[in-house]
């Protein structure tokens, strides 16, 4: 009978499959997940509140443009002349890949009279699906509460959700840093 | 006294059916290339991820851990496909060959199943977790589905080690082996949920799920639907049971249009007798008479558990048949002469094959048995040979002899005396592994080319 050489046949297939799909896979990986994995600083949008002297354009800044966005608000504040009494600042933290899935938070900070107050923290992304999803559903609200209570990113780990807590903390921390940077710029 | 003079007859050109065989081999090869390409895609995906994974702390372990997870599933699916009774593979390579490949892949798959959690735990340790063992514990308890799947795989691997398997009842082994399906399901769910970072995006996820769909589809199609359809169409039933010496029985079967089963001499079916006790067990037994001869019949020895029930089979019992399988047929023949060597019950398929070979084909049958009384079907063989002009039957009885002695039964010198023109014949061999292995070596030593050798050897 004509011999089937399984190793050779499968080997030829393997090389062909590898060679043909590697460029595709590379493209796929770079467009898909590497942007999510590399830590990018969140966008900060600073909106003028009631007491704002001039209508400040809502600026949303991406990764490297955070400083630029801050400069924009700074410019408008300067034009008004007086320091704004109340500002609502919103920032999204970076998406962090944890073991169980991506974590990203959005924070809303109210700045008035020189003090910042974390008004709300919402999870844009938490690990989903199956067991992870269940954990997220109780850990998310708890972490948000803790953050508001602590008024910082120094929050305790929710038991059973250590990786998610860690990602939450870091995303929140980065969002708060971005807000502070924007405020500094705004103050000149 | 030997078959030497037989070779110098008038040159009768008996066409071989090797062409069919070549076509099937090509189809099987194409399937193997496709399977290999699938593994290639997994590697491509892994390689493309390397720049993302490797720079992280514990990156190498993370990357390898993910790769082994993907590979484990692909390898296991490959194993399932090999045992899915895909007709093109069965006819091209033969089931014993496929199951050998299945076994060869098993350790690879198991190593991947084991390494996957270990490497990932190592990676998490490096990225600032607790110790390796506590990480392993955390990981294992977080992914209970995967841990259960891995435990099933490892149990299955452990009981399939030859030493263990030989010491446990076939039935227990079989049931444990069936848990493979549960294990694959668990692993698959785990990959789609926990592996979402690697297997993300509609294209990749679709491809991944398609693999499972194809393999499960093949299993359902060829291991369930096809046998059921065949059995319903042909309504196979037990007609009668004949007892031979040494716990050997022949079971005759009747049914409708049995000649359309497509069974040839040298092939086997997997039989399932629908009795309250045995319906869940299936047994592979070779045909000792193919339907084209006018009778469907198999001959088997009653050994462990299930086959002891053979002599108790009542006429009229319904039978589910799966097959025909096996490549040791006239279709595999490449020459105009043949020699059929059957040892012990290995003579049963040779008996059916002989009847299926062209009537004027120059054929030598070598029947190996411990002693004359144990030579099952020998009388039938001799009667069959009388109706064929150019067929000779030799009975080789007696003890096995020293394995270094070339004059021992089926030793090199003995074979040469028995079949001097061995190299110009197709050699069909069927017998237990202890006989088939050494014989294969002798045949190669005598200059018989692999393409001329058609061998089937089943363990257990």
């Amino acid at each position: 009978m004509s011999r089937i050489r399984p190793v050779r046949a499968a080997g030829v297939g393997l090389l062909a499959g590898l060679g043909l799909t590697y460029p595709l896979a590379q493209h796929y990986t770079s467009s898909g997940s590497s942007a999510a994995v590399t830590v990018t600083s969140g966008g900060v949008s600073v909106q003028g509140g009631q007491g704002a002297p001039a209508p400040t354009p809502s600026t949303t800044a991406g990764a490297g443009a955070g400083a630029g966005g801050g400069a924009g608000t700074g410019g408008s504040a300067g034009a008004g002349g007086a320091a704004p009494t109340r500002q609502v600042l919103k920032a999204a933290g970076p998406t962090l890949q944890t073991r169980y899935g991506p974590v990203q938070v959005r924070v809303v900070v109210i700045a008035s009279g020189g003090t910042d107050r974390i008004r709300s923290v919402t999870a844009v992304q938490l690990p989903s699906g199956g067991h992870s999803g269940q954990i997220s559903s109780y850990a998310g609200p708890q972490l948000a509460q803790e953050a508001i209570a602590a008024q910082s990113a120094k929050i305790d780990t929710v038991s059973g959700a250590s990786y998610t807590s860690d990602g939450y903390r870091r995303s929140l921390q980065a969002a708060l840093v971005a807000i502070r940077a924007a405020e500094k710029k705004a103050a000149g | 006294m030997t078959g030497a003079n037989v070779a110098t007859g008038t040159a009768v050109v008996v066409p071989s059916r090797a062409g069919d065989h070549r076509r099937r081999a090509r189809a099987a090869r194409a399937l193997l290339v496709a399977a290999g390409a699938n593994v290639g895609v997994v590697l491509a995906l892994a390689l493309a991820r390397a720049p993302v994974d490797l720079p992280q702390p514990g990156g190498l372990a993370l990357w390898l851990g993910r790769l082994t997870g993907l590979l484990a599933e692909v390898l296991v699916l490959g194993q399932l496909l090999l045992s899915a009774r895909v007709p093109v593979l069965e006819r091209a390579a033969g089931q014993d060959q496929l199951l050998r490949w299945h076994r060869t892949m098993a350790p690879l798959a198991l190593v991947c199943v084991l390494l996957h959690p270990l490497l990932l735990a190592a990676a998490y340790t490096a990225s600032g977790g607790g110790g390796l063992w506590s990480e392993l514990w955390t990981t294992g308890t977080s992914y209970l589905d995967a841990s259960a799947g891995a435990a099933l795989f490892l149990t299955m691997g452990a009981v399939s080690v030859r030493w263990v398997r030989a010491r446990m009842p076939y039935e227990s082994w079989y049931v444990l082996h069936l848990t493979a399906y549960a294990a694959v399901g668990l692993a698959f769910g785990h990959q789609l949920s926990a592996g979402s970072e690697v297997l993300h995006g509609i294209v990749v996820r679709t491809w991944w799920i398609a693999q499972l769909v194809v393999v499960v589809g093949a299993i359902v199609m060829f291991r369930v639907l096809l046998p059921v359809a065949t059995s319903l169409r042909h309504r196979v039933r037990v007609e009668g049971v004949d007892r031979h010496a040494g716990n050997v029985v022949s079971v005759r079967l009747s049914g409708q249009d049995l000649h359309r089963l497509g069974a040839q001499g040298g092939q086997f079916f997997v039989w399932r007798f629908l009795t309250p006790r045995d319906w869940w067990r299936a047994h592979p037994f070779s045909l000792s008479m193919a339907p084209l001869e006018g009778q469907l019949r198999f001959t088997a020895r009653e050994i462990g558990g299930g086959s002891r029930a053979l002599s108790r089979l009542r006429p009229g019992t319904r039978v589910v048949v799966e097959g025909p399988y096996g490549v040791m047929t006239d279709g595999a023949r490449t020459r105009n002469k043949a020699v059929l060597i059957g040892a012990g019950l290995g003579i049963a398929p040779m008996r059916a094959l002989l009847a299926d070979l062209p009537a004027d084909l120059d054929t030598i049958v070598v029947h190996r048995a411990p002693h004359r009384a144990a030579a099952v079907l020998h009388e039938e063989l001799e009667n069959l040979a009388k109706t064929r002009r150019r067929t000779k039957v030799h009975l080789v009885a007696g003890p096995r002899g020293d394995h270094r002695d070339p004059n021992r039964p089926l030793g090199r010198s003995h074979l040469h005396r028995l079949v001097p023109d061995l190299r110009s014949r197709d050699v069909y061999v069927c017998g237990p592994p202890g006989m088939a292995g050494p014989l294969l070596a002798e045949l190669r030593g005598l200059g018989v080319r692999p393409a001329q050798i058609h061998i089937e050897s089943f363990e257990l």
Side-chain angles (χ1 to χ4, degrees):
Chain A
M1 73 165 120
S2 57
R3 292 274 138 176
I4 305 163
R5 295 185 183 81
V7 176
R8 200 165 75 167
V12 167
L14 191 145
L15 290 179
L18 181 60
L20 289 175
T21 54
Y22 179 64
L24 268 176
Q26 216 174 10
H27 172 75
Y28 195 76
T29 311
S30 61
S31 69
S33 64
S34 69
V37 169
T38 42
V39 179
T40 56
S41 87
V44 183
S45 85
V46 183
Q47 291 173 342
Q50 295 162 331
T56 42
S58 168
T59 47
T60 306
T73 31
S76 61
T85 54
R86 189 165 182 272
Q87 258 192 331
V88 180
L89 299 116
K90 296 177 185 170
T95 304
L96 293 166
Q97 290 297 334
T98 73
R99 243 161 93 171
Y100 301 99
V103 173
Q104 189 189 15
V105 300
R106 180 184 291 282
V107 63
V108 178
V109 169
I110 309 228
S112 67
T115 54
D116 285 359
R117 197 163 58 77
I118 296 179
R119 195 176 71 179
S120 72
V121 185
T122 32
V124 182
Q125 290 185 78
L126 283 177
S128 61
H131 191 49
S132 305
Q134 282 173 15
I135 291 176
S136 297
S137 67
Y138 76 76
Q142 207 170 323
L143 288 163
Q145 251 175 5
E146 280 188 44
I148 291 167
Q151 283 298 311
S152 76
K154 291 189 188 96
I155 48 178
D156 289 336
T157 296
V158 172
S159 74
S162 45
Y163 289 90
T164 301
S165 302
D166 186 47
Y168 200 98
R169 210 159 24 224
R170 278 154 54 198
S171 187
L172 176 59
Q173 178 68 34
L176 291 175
V177 167
I179 283 183
R180 218 155 295 140
E183 282 179 315
K184 254 186 204 156
K185 287 281 180 198
Chain B
M1 64 149 269
T2 63
N5 53 339
V6 182
T8 57
T10 47
V12 182
V13 179
V14 186
S16 81
R17 287 187 255 160
D20 287 359
H21 209 79
R22 221 167 294 138
R23 259 192 303 284
R24 284 195 212 106
R26 209 174 302 142
R29 216 173 282 132
L31 204 59
L32 285 171
V33 169
N38 196 40
V39 181
V41 175
V42 171
L43 290 182
L45 198 66
L47 275 183
R49 269 204 74 81
V52 180
D53 284 348
L54 290 179
Q56 301 180 37
L60 185 62
L62 181 71
W63 183 70
L64 283 175
R66 285 177 168 157
L67 175 60
T68 47
L70 295 176
L71 278 181
E73 185 75 7
V74 172
L75 289 173
V76 170
L77 286 183
Q79 283 188 286
L80 283 184
L81 195 63
L82 285 175
S83 55
R85 314 282 189 263
V86 182
V88 58
L89 283 177
E90 296 287 331
R91 285 192 216 120
Q95 198 172 102
D96 57 334
Q97 183 68 63
L98 294 179
L99 293 181
R100 261 198 295 282
W101 294 345
H102 175 97
R103 265 199 297 272
T104 310
M105 283 172 76
L108 269 176
L110 282 176
V111 164
C112 287
V113 168
L114 258 181
L115 279 181
H116 172 64
L118 286 176
L119 284 168
L120 285 183
Y124 298 145
T125 306
S127 69
L132 178 65
W133 294 112
S134 80
E135 274 298 328
L136 200 57
W137 175 253
T138 316
T139 314
T141 48
S142 314
Y143 298 120
L144 282 175
D145 51 351
S147 304
L152 287 179
F153 276 128
L154 294 179
T155 314
M156 203 160 40
V159 300
S160 295
V161 170
R162 212 156 283 177
W163 188 87
V164 181
R165 195 182 156 182
R167 278 160 188 76
M168 77 189 286
Y170 172 80
E171 286 72 23
S172 326
W173 174 84
Y174 179 73
V175 170
L176 273 172
H177 217 75
L178 280 185
T179 57
Y181 297 120
V184 169
L186 286 168
F188 218 83
H190 163 68
Q191 291 184 311
L192 288 183
S193 62
S196 56
E197 197 175 322
V198 182
L199 299 173
H200 77 106
I202 186 84
V203 179
V204 172
R205 284 178 94 81
T206 307
W207 161 66
W208 201 250
I209 293 168
Q211 294 180 21
L212 187 71
V213 170
V214 165
V215 171
V216 169
I219 290 170
V220 170
M221 183 75 202
F222 302 126
R223 292 199 74 160
V224 183
L225 296 182
L226 201 62
V228 168
T230 307
S231 306
L232 284 177
R233 179 153 20 103
H234 295 286
R235 308 183 155 275
V236 185
R237 285 173 190 276
V238 173
E239 190 180 87
V241 179
D242 305 321
R243 306 211 57 156
H244 306 281
N247 289 334
V248 177
V249 293
S250 286
V251 178
R252 286 173 281 116
L253 301 124
S254 62
Q256 288 174 1
D257 294 334
L258 290 184
H259 59 280
R260 297 179 73 173
L261 276 171
Q264 291 172 272
Q267 291 191 304
F268 67 96
F269 283 89
V270 179
W271 312 88
R272 191 184 291 272
F273 305 101
L274 300 185
T275 63
R277 276 178 49 129
D278 284 314
W279 63 270
W280 59 278
R281 286 191 273 236
H283 319 269
F285 294 134
S286 284
L287 295 182
S288 54
M289 211 186 270
L292 290 176
E293 252 190 280
Q295 176 75 63
L296 180 64
R297 186 189 71 177
F298 69 81
T299 301
R301 175 170 285 127
E302 296 189 281
I303 33 164
S307 50
R308 203 173 297 139
L310 287 178
S311 54
R312 286 201 294 265
L313 280 176
R314 295 243 177 81
T317 303
R318 297 208 62 163
V319 186
V320 177
V321 295
E322 196 190 307
Y325 298 131
V327 292
M328 222 172 36
T329 62
D330 186 37
R333 192 162 50 81
T334 60
R335 308 286 171 116
N336 294 329
K337 294 190 282 185
V339 53
L340 278 47
I341 307 175
L345 267 182
I347 201 65
M350 293 305 168
R351 149 75 187 76
L353 175 60
L354 178 64
D356 217 20
L357 294 176
D360 50 359
L361 185 81
D362 179 348
T363 313
I364 296 174
V365 181
V366 179
H367 188 176
R368 177 81 180 94
H371 48 88
R372 183 166 267 280
V376 183
L377 300 175
H378 192 69
E379 211 171 305
E380 253 184 57
L381 271 177
E382 289 193 316
N383 289 337
L384 197 56
K386 275 179 206 149
T387 67
R388 304 166 59 91
R389 274 195 313 128
R390 294 145 66 85
T391 297
K392 282 197 162 200
V393 179
H394 297 289
L395 178 64
V396 178
R400 196 176 289 178
D402 187 83
H403 70 279
R404 282 160 305 187
D405 177 10
N407 283 306
R408 74 178 190 279
L410 301 187
R412 189 167 301 190
S413 311
H414 180 246
L415 270 177
H416 187 68
R417 278 200 309 279
L418 220 52
V419 193
D421 56 347
L422 196 62
R423 290 167 68 169
S424 60
R425 290 174 184 268
D426 275 276
V427 186
Y428 292 84
V429 179
C430 190
M435 164 264 188
L439 181 59
L440 187 61
E442 297 292 12
L443 289 172
R444 298 301 312 279
L446 283 163
V448 183
R449 300 229 313 274
Q452 288 168 257
I453 303 176
H454 316 289
I455 196 162
E456 218 148 78
S457 165
F458 279 89
E459 294 178 54
L460 290 180

